[in-house]
Amino acid sequence: LAKTTQPISMDSYEGQEVNITCSHNNIATNDYITWYQQFPSQGPRFIIQGYKTKVTNEVASLFIPADRKSSTLSLPRVSLSDTAVYYCLVGDMVTGGFKTIFGAGTRLFVKA
Amino acid sequence: NAGVTQTPKFQVLKTGQSMTLQCAQDMNHEYMSWYRQDPGMGLRLIHYSVGAGITDQGEVPNGYNVSRSTTEDFPLRLLSAAPSQTSVYFCASSPLAAASNQPQHFGDGTRLSIL
């Protein structure tokens, strides 16, 4: 299983773009990169997933360079409600032994 | 849509007591898992299952048992509760597809305190 490294915490202001980078130097060929968001007292919620290049949905964008050893979650124009913990996961449900491992995540605090 | 339902939402136990945390999903997902989350920490995988009758250990399985008799249900049993098991427990499910890593759907958690 590829280990991931993320910043422990980040601060931002409303309306700014936030970029959270995750390092995964030992990513395997079959591994996907998945990001979850967790609000206090709630379970994690899937945000976005990608394998390479760029993925965009209505919530965020995910940038993955060609070597796939890192990825960046981009949240456009954050609001106070984006204050949460963001988890980066790397793995493959088939060849990775079905063990999905969460790290400590990045605590994002958005200020007014 | 109910999604993943966990019961109870809160529970207080005494040391040595046993109990079962319930988890049910109505999405016909093959994969189900249990995590614990201690204050200020990430989630740690306890047990998981890839289908009815199949279970396996995660990172922190000691003190917990699971079974998977149906696709829908995946109960977690604490055999003899200890204060170190005070935590928030999350159940999750996902399809099991060969083509990609399927995102998991999480329940709202069970907050367990052991005195």
Side-chain angles (χ1 to χ4, degrees):
Chain A
L1 295 170
K3 179 178 171 60
T4 60
T5 303
Q6 308 174 229
I8 294 175
S9 64
M10 296 181 67
D11 289 344
S12 183
Y13 289 93
E14 282 190 292
Q16 289 188 333
E17 179 185 72
V18 171
N19 295 311
I20 305 174
T21 298
C22 179
S23 298
H24 28 79
N25 292 320
N26 296 323
I27 190 169
T29 302
N30 293 328
D31 286 346
Y32 281 72
I33 301 157
T34 309
W35 286 81
Y36 289 85
Q37 175 190 56
Q38 185 180 26
F39 296 115
S41 302
Q42 294 185 24
R45 182 176 71 105
F46 169 79
I47 301 177
I48 197 166
Q49 183 182 74
Y51 183 79
K52 61 181 179 180
T53 62
K54 177 184 174 182
V55 179
T56 298
N57 62 23
E58 65 278 5
V59 177
S61 294
L62 179 59
F63 298 92
I64 305 169
D67 66 5
R68 305 203 322 127
K69 293 184 182 299
S70 67
S71 59
T72 299
L73 174 73
S74 181
L75 304 172
R77 297 181 297 280
V78 294
S79 63
L80 296 176
S81 62
D82 292 316
T83 293
V85 179
Y86 293 83
Y87 295 97
C88 164
L89 279 73
V90 172
D92 172 63
M93 289 289 279
V94 177
T95 63
F98 307 107
K99 290 185 179 181
T100 305
I101 304 298
F102 282 77
T106 298
R107 295 183 176 275
L108 172 65
F109 186 68
V110 180
K111 307 173 190 177
Chain B
N1 292 334
V4 178
T5 302
Q6 292 185 236
T7 56
K9 294 189 185 304
F10 303 93
Q11 184 70 48
V12 179
L13 293 178
K14 294 181 179 179
T15 298
Q17 287 185 314
S18 63
M19 88 159 289
T20 299
L21 279 60
Q22 301 292 343
C23 176
Q25 52 95 5
D26 61 358
M27 297 171 283
N28 201 33
H29 287 167
E30 300 94 335
Y31 184 87
M32 296 186 74
S33 56
W34 276 102
Y35 296 85
R36 62 175 287 174
Q37 185 172 37
D38 300 328
M41 306 289 286
L43 285 79
R44 290 186 291 170
L45 181 65
I46 304 172
H47 285 285
Y48 64 95
S49 168
V50 298
I54 306 170
T55 64
D56 206 345
Q57 297 181 348
E59 302 172 88
V60 289
N62 292 340
Y64 307 93
N65 274 356
V66 292
S67 61
R68 185 93 180 272
S69 57
T70 67
T71 299
E72 294 78 19
D73 300 300
F74 190 44
L76 178 72
R77 297 183 187 85
L78 277 71
L79 307 174
S80 177
S84 61
Q85 294 178 305
T86 293
S87 190
V88 180
Y89 291 84
F90 290 102
C91 178
S93 75
S94 72
L96 193 67
S100 68
N101 189 345
Q102 295 290 324
Q104 295 191 66
H105 299 256
F106 283 81
D108 290 332
T110 294
R111 284 148 187 80
L112 182 62
S113 294
I114 300 167
L115 307 177

Short mmCIF file of all heavy atoms in Angstrom, two decimals, chain A residues 8 17 21 32 36-39 45-46 50 60 73 76 88 90 96 102:
data_model
loop_
_atom_site.label_atom_id
_atom_site.label_comp_id
_atom_site.label_asym_id
_atom_site.label_seq_id
_atom_site.Cartn_x
_atom_site.Cartn_y
_atom_site.Cartn_z
N ILE A 8 -0.46 18.88 7.72
CA ILE A 8 -1.37 18.62 8.84
C ILE A 8 -2.53 19.60 8.86
O ILE A 8 -3.67 19.23 9.13
CB ILE A 8 -0.59 18.70 10.17
CG1 ILE A 8 0.42 17.57 10.23
CG2 ILE A 8 -1.55 18.63 11.36
CD1 ILE A 8 1.33 17.63 11.44
N GLU A 17 -8.76 30.39 -3.56
CA GLU A 17 -8.55 29.03 -4.05
C GLU A 17 -7.59 28.32 -3.10
O GLU A 17 -6.58 28.88 -2.71
CB GLU A 17 -7.98 29.04 -5.46
CG GLU A 17 -7.71 27.65 -6.02
CD GLU A 17 -7.02 27.71 -7.38
OE1 GLU A 17 -5.83 28.05 -7.42
OE2 GLU A 17 -7.69 27.40 -8.38
N THR A 21 -1.75 19.54 -1.36
CA THR A 21 -0.91 18.58 -2.08
C THR A 21 -0.67 17.34 -1.24
O THR A 21 -0.46 17.42 -0.03
CB THR A 21 0.43 19.22 -2.47
OG1 THR A 21 0.18 20.31 -3.36
CG2 THR A 21 1.32 18.22 -3.18
N TYR A 32 -5.31 4.13 -7.80
CA TYR A 32 -6.04 5.36 -8.03
C TYR A 32 -5.82 6.30 -6.85
O TYR A 32 -5.44 5.87 -5.77
CB TYR A 32 -7.54 5.08 -8.19
CG TYR A 32 -7.92 4.55 -9.54
CD1 TYR A 32 -7.58 3.25 -9.91
CD2 TYR A 32 -8.58 5.35 -10.46
CE1 TYR A 32 -7.91 2.76 -11.15
CE2 TYR A 32 -8.93 4.86 -11.71
CZ TYR A 32 -8.58 3.57 -12.05
OH TYR A 32 -8.91 3.09 -13.29
N TYR A 36 -11.25 12.41 0.13
CA TYR A 36 -12.47 12.47 0.92
C TYR A 36 -12.46 13.74 1.76
O TYR A 36 -11.41 14.27 2.12
CB TYR A 36 -12.58 11.26 1.86
CG TYR A 36 -12.87 9.94 1.20
CD1 TYR A 36 -11.84 9.17 0.68
CD2 TYR A 36 -14.17 9.46 1.10
CE1 TYR A 36 -12.09 7.95 0.08
CE2 TYR A 36 -14.43 8.23 0.51
CZ TYR A 36 -13.39 7.48 0.00
OH TYR A 36 -13.65 6.28 -0.59
N GLN A 37 -13.67 14.18 2.12
CA GLN A 37 -13.88 15.33 2.99
C GLN A 37 -14.64 14.87 4.22
O GLN A 37 -15.58 14.08 4.09
CB GLN A 37 -14.69 16.38 2.24
CG GLN A 37 -15.10 17.61 3.02
CD GLN A 37 -16.11 18.43 2.22
OE1 GLN A 37 -17.15 17.94 1.80
NE2 GLN A 37 -15.79 19.71 1.97
N GLN A 38 -14.24 15.33 5.39
CA GLN A 38 -14.95 14.95 6.60
C GLN A 38 -15.24 16.18 7.46
O GLN A 38 -14.32 16.88 7.88
CB GLN A 38 -14.17 13.92 7.42
CG GLN A 38 -14.95 13.42 8.63
CD GLN A 38 -14.20 12.41 9.46
OE1 GLN A 38 -12.97 12.39 9.49
NE2 GLN A 38 -14.93 11.54 10.13
N PHE A 39 -16.54 16.39 7.73
CA PHE A 39 -16.96 17.44 8.64
C PHE A 39 -17.03 16.85 10.05
O PHE A 39 -17.19 15.63 10.22
CB PHE A 39 -18.33 17.98 8.23
CG PHE A 39 -18.33 18.65 6.88
CD1 PHE A 39 -19.06 18.12 5.84
CD2 PHE A 39 -17.61 19.81 6.66
CE1 PHE A 39 -19.07 18.72 4.58
CE2 PHE A 39 -17.61 20.43 5.42
CZ PHE A 39 -18.34 19.87 4.38
N ARG A 45 -16.78 11.88 3.23
CA ARG A 45 -17.59 11.96 2.01
C ARG A 45 -16.66 12.03 0.82
O ARG A 45 -15.72 12.84 0.81
CB ARG A 45 -18.49 13.18 2.07
CG ARG A 45 -19.42 13.38 0.89
CD ARG A 45 -20.33 14.57 1.15
NE ARG A 45 -19.59 15.83 1.08
CZ ARG A 45 -19.66 16.69 0.07
NH1 ARG A 45 -20.37 16.39 -1.00
NH2 ARG A 45 -18.99 17.83 0.09
N PHE A 46 -16.90 11.21 -0.18
CA PHE A 46 -16.08 11.20 -1.39
C PHE A 46 -16.15 12.54 -2.10
O PHE A 46 -17.23 13.13 -2.25
CB PHE A 46 -16.58 10.09 -2.32
CG PHE A 46 -16.00 10.14 -3.71
CD1 PHE A 46 -14.73 9.66 -3.94
CD2 PHE A 46 -16.73 10.67 -4.76
CE1 PHE A 46 -14.19 9.69 -5.22
CE2 PHE A 46 -16.21 10.70 -6.04
CZ PHE A 46 -14.94 10.22 -6.27
N GLY A 50 -8.98 10.21 -9.24
CA GLY A 50 -8.32 10.27 -10.54
C GLY A 50 -7.20 9.27 -10.65
O GLY A 50 -6.75 8.70 -9.65
N ALA A 60 -14.54 20.09 -7.01
CA ALA A 60 -13.10 20.29 -6.94
C ALA A 60 -12.43 19.85 -8.23
O ALA A 60 -13.06 19.28 -9.12
CB ALA A 60 -12.52 19.50 -5.76
N LEU A 73 -5.26 18.56 -4.70
CA LEU A 73 -6.69 18.84 -4.66
C LEU A 73 -6.87 20.34 -4.68
O LEU A 73 -6.30 21.05 -3.85
CB LEU A 73 -7.31 18.25 -3.39
CG LEU A 73 -8.79 18.59 -3.16
CD1 LEU A 73 -9.66 17.81 -4.14
CD2 LEU A 73 -9.20 18.28 -1.73
N PRO A 76 -11.94 25.62 -5.51
CA PRO A 76 -12.06 26.99 -6.00
C PRO A 76 -12.94 27.83 -5.08
O PRO A 76 -13.98 27.38 -4.63
CB PRO A 76 -12.72 26.82 -7.37
CG PRO A 76 -13.51 25.56 -7.23
CD PRO A 76 -12.76 24.67 -6.28
N CYS A 88 -6.33 12.18 1.62
CA CYS A 88 -5.85 11.67 0.35
C CYS A 88 -5.58 10.18 0.53
O CYS A 88 -4.86 9.79 1.46
CB CYS A 88 -4.57 12.41 -0.03
SG CYS A 88 -3.58 11.64 -1.32
N VAL A 90 -4.49 6.46 -1.54
CA VAL A 90 -3.95 5.85 -2.75
C VAL A 90 -4.09 4.35 -2.63
O VAL A 90 -3.72 3.77 -1.62
CB VAL A 90 -2.47 6.23 -2.93
CG1 VAL A 90 -1.85 5.44 -4.07
CG2 VAL A 90 -2.33 7.72 -3.17
N GLY A 96 -4.72 -4.26 -4.30
CA GLY A 96 -4.20 -3.73 -3.05
C GLY A 96 -4.66 -4.49 -1.83
O GLY A 96 -4.43 -4.06 -0.71
N PHE A 102 -6.55 5.20 5.61
CA PHE A 102 -6.63 6.65 5.74
C PHE A 102 -5.42 7.15 6.53
O PHE A 102 -5.04 6.57 7.52
CB PHE A 102 -7.89 7.05 6.49
CG PHE A 102 -9.14 7.02 5.67
CD1 PHE A 102 -9.76 5.82 5.36
CD2 PHE A 102 -9.72 8.19 5.22
CE1 PHE A 102 -10.91 5.78 4.61
CE2 PHE A 102 -10.88 8.18 4.48
CZ PHE A 102 -11.48 6.97 4.17
#
